[in-house]
Amino acid sequence: MTDTDSLTEALRAISVSTELIEDELQPHLDTVLTALLDKKKDAALEVVRSGILPLLAQTLRSNSSLSCQVALLVAETAREAAVREPCIQAGLVTALLPHLSSSNQDLLLNTGRAIGRICFDNSQQQDQLVQSGVIPRLVSIMREYPQNDPLLNVCLLALCNLADMDSARDALADLDVADVLTFQLKRAPDAERRHVILEILSSLGESDTLKLQFAESGVPEALSEMIHSLQGGSDPHDLCSIKIASNLIVSLLLGDESMQKCFGEGSGLVYQDVLLWLQSSNTQLQLSGALAIANFARNGEINENVTSPTGF
């Protein structure tokens, strides 16, 4: 039997199942999953055409031992943009959401990937996710499993996709998310992870409430330390991180209270580092330094220190 025949037979067997008998379904699910993981041409479309999506949603709702496998199957199917709307119509998103409260890290990973792919670039679905309470759960997962890098990637990408939404920012303002993000920024294993976190911080930093929270939680200091650690190199990814981080610091200084916090009566770490940026060989840091000083100088009391002989 060819791989195509095996997939067709497996899909047919699943589609005619009238009861969720796990021992009978599992080998057929294995066959379908193998085809998807092997990137078999049009496998995802065949899954949709077979009509098994509602059965997959039913299996997820039953909390069976197959949930982890089914969530992975859905995640692999949803790699194809053309099948995402059928997944939504079959109720897979609502069936998957409760599994974000699981203590099984593999199930969390598969569920997060499935939801993220189905809802990618779909503002209506993303809004419904936020309304359903997905934001607190994502932050909780990051706190509970701070060393699980694949799971962290899923949560960070989800937050990155949602961070531009006002409703998401409001939800995050109640969760003290700054400490989670700065911890992960400091342990980021590569530039890709670092950039995702910086993008999240940049989006959230547009909120006045979060701007102040970030200043009070040490985000500017963490960004400044990161910039310091990356200076002197020529790696384009590092230079990009420096640009994003320095721009974010300048943005955070637009808030009067956050600016006062960073200034620290002239002895603040961020303020002292900004003065050094002006002497950097990195033109981006020179520019950000000048903009930061201009922001500091907006405040009359700070302006006296900035322009005094002991300041700048």
Side-chain angles (χ1 to χ4, degrees), residues 287-308:
L287 175 59
S288 293
L291 292 172
I293 291 298
N295 281 339
F296 279 123
R298 287 188 302 106
N299 181 288
E301 179 181 347
I302 292 179
N303 186 43
E304 294 180 5
N305 288 276
V306 170
T307 57
S308 72

Side-chain angles (χ1 to χ4, degrees), residues 74-121:
V74 174
E76 292 303 313
T77 301
R79 285 182 183 273
E80 295 288 339
V83 309
R84 292 169 187 163
E85 186 59 34
C87 286
I88 294 169
Q89 293 173 356
L92 280 166
V93 176
T94 55
L96 285 161
L97 277 171
H99 293 291
L100 287 178
S101 297
S102 173
S103 58
N104 181 323
Q105 295 181 55
D106 288 333
L107 179 54
L108 286 173
L109 178 62
N110 295 339
T111 298
R113 283 175 172 166
I115 293 174
R117 288 169 185 168
I118 294 172
C119 299
F120 178 73
D121 205 24

Side-chain angles (χ1 to χ4, degrees), residues 54-96:
L55 180 66
L56 298 181
Q58 184 182 351
T59 304
L60 288 166
R61 291 192 185 96
S62 69
N63 292 314
S64 77
S65 61
L66 297 176
S67 293
C68 190
Q69 184 182 24
V70 170
L72 177 57
L73 192 156
V74 174
E76 292 303 313
T77 301
R79 285 182 183 273
E80 295 288 339
V83 309
R84 292 169 187 163
E85 186 59 34
C87 286
I88 294 169
Q89 293 173 356
L92 280 166
V93 176
T94 55
L96 285 161

Side-chain angles (χ1 to χ4, degrees), residues 105-281:
Q105 295 181 55
D106 288 333
L107 179 54
L108 286 173
L109 178 62
N110 295 339
T111 298
R113 283 175 172 166
I115 293 174
R117 288 169 185 168
I118 294 172
C119 299
F120 178 73
D121 205 24
N122 186 323
S123 58
Q124 181 179 0
Q125 284 298 308
Q126 290 175 350
D127 183 63
Q128 290 180 13
L129 286 177
V130 174
Q131 299 305 322
S132 70
V134 74
I135 295 292
R137 190 58 205 136
L138 290 172
V139 176
S140 294
I141 292 171
M142 293 176 65
R143 284 200 171 102
E144 290 167 21
Y145 309 108
Q147 307 295 331
N148 186 328
D149 287 326
L151 189 53
L152 285 167
N153 278 339
V154 168
C155 292
L156 288 168
L157 286 172
L159 287 177
C160 192
N161 287 328
L162 299 173
D164 285 334
M165 301 171 59
D166 289 338
S167 54
R169 292 172 182 171
D170 291 342
L172 287 164
D174 296 328
L175 296 172
D176 193 22
V177 70
D179 65 323
V180 177
L181 294 175
T182 52
F183 176 79
Q184 292 302 331
L185 180 64
K186 291 175 181 178
R187 68 174 293 274
D190 51 46
E192 183 177 358
R193 173 86 61 83
R194 194 167 66 225
H195 286 175
V196 172
I197 297 171
L198 290 172
E199 288 296 335
I200 295 171
L201 289 169
S202 296
S203 293
L204 299 182
E206 295 178 14
S207 159
D208 290 338
T209 300
L210 286 165
K211 200 187 297 289
L212 179 57
Q213 282 189 18
F214 285 178
E216 293 175 339
S217 301
V219 170
E221 287 79 5
L223 293 170
S224 189
E225 290 173 10
M226 186 207 76
I227 290 171
H228 181 74
S229 70
L230 297 177
Q231 282 188 72
S234 58
D235 183 275
H237 298 294
D238 291 347
L239 294 175
C240 182
S241 292
I242 289 174
K243 180 178 180 178
I244 297 172
S246 60
N247 286 340
L248 177 53
I249 288 177
V250 172
S251 174
L252 294 176
L253 294 176
L254 292 173
D256 288 341
E257 292 179 89
S258 57
M259 177 174 56
Q260 291 278 2
K261 179 73 175 176
C262 292
F263 184 66
E265 297 182 350
S267 62
L269 170 66
V270 175
Y271 175 64
Q272 294 298 322
D273 283 350
V274 163
L275 293 178
L276 295 176
W277 293 357
L278 297 172
Q279 306 167 37
S280 171
S281 59

